[in-house]
Amino acid sequence: MGCPGAKAARAAAWSLLVAVMVLLLPTVALAQKPVTVHVIALDSDDASEDQADALTAAMRQRVRMTPSLLLAESNQSLSTLLPALKCPSRPDSACLQRIGDQLKTDRFFWGNVVKSSLAHQVVAEVHLWTRGKPEQVAKENFSDNLKDQNDDALKRIAVQLFDRLTGQSTQGTVVIKVTGAQVGTIIVDGKPITKLTGGMATIQVGSGSHSIEVQSDGYTGTPQTVNVVVNVESDLTFDMKANAVVPVEPSKPGHPKRVIGFVTLAVAGAAAIGAVVTGVLYASDSSTWHNYASGVPSTITDLCTSPASQAAYPTANNVSNRDACGSRSTANTVWPIGWALGGAAVALGIVGVVLVISDKPKEEGAPPPMALRILPTFGPGGGGVSALLTF
């Protein structure tokens, strides 16, 4: 048989336990009640509308997967709420308060997706507003080809944003400092993430090991591996070396005068050949005429113009009057041409030789090279050409 005092103590203990359970049950039930949250459709620019719609859907799916949250099924978008509530394009705290009142909620996600400065990238900036608490902000860059809410890569982006905004982050911070280069691109695991500005960059990456590289025009750096810890800031320093500049040999001075000189000599040669040919023609035709004329009395001077003379002397020294007169006419035509070609050949030859000889690279302080000037001259007795050589 037990002690009456012990039974009374046990009864009192059970009564106290029951009372405590009765008091705690409503609190436990209340703590397990999901919290309603809105995901307002993300705003976008013209180039990122599809990506914004896909990320909005992925964010809503992430909320549905969280037992402690209840997604408010709403199609409200930031682009319709802001003008309706007379808010600025970037909502301030008073505007966010009005949005919460309009949606009858104490918390909601909002933000935008716009084209990034990186090629083929967009940047998402998502906020979590909670009544009476500081607003949380998270950013992510991702490829502009992620336009499907069911894409695994886009789902990961949504998870990273959600976790960072709700304090369930799986990421750490890496602060990158670069010496040498001031601008460039930060590459994480082979993908461009953000820009390097002023030799500094800060990135958020998932926990674990990552390869980080800095790319900058004109500089070379060594990739580094960092082990990222959740909610821990890591520092990386890159020493970028300027690429060696390959010396460019100065271009050798050209020889325009020499080229012109050789061209001039070639023209002089052609003129000389022409002069020789015309000289041969003149000599042949003159010989034919003089051979004919030597067989005719010297008093006859109109052998080529008088029909009577032509009839009297149709042939002389086996040369016909017709052939003789034709040769004399040809000789009278070619002799001035021959003289002109010969004179041109001599003048151009002199000019060409001087140009070739005087074409030397000019050294600092060296006297000016020789120069030849060909000048025409005119006078009462006729014209001519004079050459002036300066050195």
Side-chain angles (χ1 to χ4, degrees), residues 180-181 214-222 239-247:
V214 178
Q215 291 183 354
S216 180
D217 291 340
Y219 292 87
T220 301
T222 302
D239 184 15
M240 304 292 288
K241 301 295 184 182
N243 296 335
V245 178
V246 179

Side-chain angles (χ1 to χ4, degrees), residues 237-306:
T237 300
F238 288 84
D239 184 15
M240 304 292 288
K241 301 295 184 182
N243 296 335
V245 178
V246 179
V248 179
E249 291 188 16
S251 58
K252 296 181 179 180
H255 298 278
K257 292 174 62 177
R258 182 176 299 179
V259 173
I260 296 173
F262 281 121
V263 171
T264 304
L265 288 174
V267 176
I273 294 173
V276 171
V277 171
T278 56
V280 171
L281 291 174
Y282 175 78
S284 175
D285 290 334
S286 294
S287 176
T288 300
W289 167 254
H290 288 299
N291 189 27
Y292 169 78
S294 64
V296 178
S298 58
T299 57
I300 307 300
T301 58
D302 56 353
L303 291 170
C304 295
T305 57
S306 173

Side-chain angles (χ1 to χ4, degrees), residues 65-139:
M65 295 171 58
T66 305
S68 60
L69 297 179
L70 177 63
L71 177 66
E73 299 297 336
S74 171
N75 292 323
Q76 295 280 7
S77 66
L78 197 64
S79 60
T80 58
L81 285 169
L82 294 182
L85 298 176
K86 298 181 180 180
C87 292
S89 57
R90 185 171 183 85
D92 53 20
S93 59
C95 173
L96 295 174
Q97 182 79 26
R98 293 199 296 273
I99 292 176
D101 295 340
Q102 176 72 19
L103 299 178
K104 296 181 174 58
T105 185
D106 291 332
R107 57 191 55 80
F108 58 84
F109 292 93
W110 69 277
N112 56 49
V113 179
V114 296
K115 187 175 180 61
S116 172
S117 57
L118 298 173
H120 307 296
Q121 294 272 308
V122 295
V123 56
E125 179 180 315
V126 183
H127 300 241
L128 173 59
W129 178 84
T130 303
R131 195 182 298 274
K133 293 184 179 181
E135 189 178 23
Q136 304 299 315
V137 184
K139 289 185 178 181

Side-chain angles (χ1 to χ4, degrees), residues 142-378:
F142 60 92
S143 173
D144 61 5
N145 63 4
L146 298 181
K147 302 177 182 179
D148 183 358
Q149 68 184 72
N150 297 314
D151 191 300
D152 289 339
L154 189 62
K155 287 181 179 179
R156 287 194 293 271
I157 297 296
V159 169
Q160 292 170 0
L161 289 168
F162 178 87
D163 289 351
R164 286 162 57 190
L165 292 169
T166 59
Q168 303 178 38
S169 177
T170 60
Q171 294 186 321
T173 302
V174 180
V175 178
I176 298 171
K177 300 177 182 178
V178 179
T179 60
Q182 294 296 300
V183 296
T185 303
I186 306 301
I187 309 297
V188 178
D189 299 330
K191 296 181 180 180
I193 297 299
T194 189
K195 291 287 188 181
L196 174 71
T197 304
M200 295 283 294
T202 301
I203 59 174
Q204 298 282 338
V205 291
S207 61
S209 179
H210 297 277
S211 174
I212 299 180
E213 178 184 359
V214 178
Q215 291 183 354
S216 180
D217 291 340
Y219 292 87
T220 301
T222 302
Q224 299 187 43
T225 300
V226 60
N227 187 37
V228 177
V229 179
V230 175
N231 294 327
V232 174
E233 185 176 287
S234 303
D235 294 325
L236 280 184
T237 300
F238 288 84
D239 184 15
M240 304 292 288
K241 301 295 184 182
N243 296 335
V245 178
V246 179
V248 179
E249 291 188 16
S251 58
K252 296 181 179 180
H255 298 278
K257 292 174 62 177
R258 182 176 299 179
V259 173
I260 296 173
F262 281 121
V263 171
T264 304
L265 288 174
V267 176
I273 294 173
V276 171
V277 171
T278 56
V280 171
L281 291 174
Y282 175 78
S284 175
D285 290 334
S286 294
S287 176
T288 300
W289 167 254
H290 288 299
N291 189 27
Y292 169 78
S294 64
V296 178
S298 58
T299 57
I300 307 300
T301 58
D302 56 353
L303 291 170
C304 295
T305 57
S306 173
S309 298
Q310 293 173 352
Y313 301 97
T315 303
N317 293 332
N318 295 322
V319 179
S320 68
N321 177 271
R322 181 178 180 179
D323 289 343
C325 291
S327 295
R328 188 180 74 166
S329 176
T330 301
N332 290 336
T333 301
V334 299
W335 83 264
I337 297 176
W339 276 107
L341 289 174
V346 172
L348 290 173
I350 294 173
V351 172
V353 170
V354 172
L355 288 174
V356 172
I357 294 175
S358 64
D359 185 24
K360 296 180 180 179
K362 184 178 180 181
E363 298 179 359
E364 192 71 27
M370 290 190 297
L372 177 68
R373 298 175 64 189
I374 306 297
L375 302 174
T377 60
F378 302 94

Side-chain angles (χ1 to χ4, degrees), residues 25-39:
L25 280 175
T27 303
V28 173
L30 181 62
Q32 292 177 344
K33 182 180 179 180
V35 175
T36 301
V37 62
H38 284 71
V39 178

